[in-house]
Amino acid sequence: MHVNTLLLQDILAEEKWQKKLTDADRRALSPLFWTHVNPYGRFELDMNSHLDLVAAVAASVPGPRSGEPATSPA
């Protein structure tokens, strides 16, 4: 709802809409719209490509903290 409120504020800040909306229109506005929300997410699959999981795992493994000596795995 916070994002919706920000969207409404941006639109209502435009002079074009300030002149066009009546008091009744302004009273009817609500940030409780949700038609732009997809609760299940959208996943587009490209079956002709693959993820480089080896590089992703290597990038996510943290190195030694500063001040600590690096040790080799046992």
Side-chain angles (χ1 to χ4, degrees), residues 8 11 15 31 33 41 47 49 51 54 58 63 67 71:
L8 282 175
I11 295 298
E15 189 176 337
F33 56 91
M47 300 305 283
S49 67
L51 297 175
V54 174
T71 58

Side-chain angles (χ1 to χ4, degrees), residues 17-31:
W17 288 107
Q18 290 175 0
K19 292 178 181 178
K20 192 175 254 190
L21 295 174
T22 65
D23 288 340
D25 292 332
R26 287 187 186 88
R27 283 193 303 269
L29 288 174
S30 170

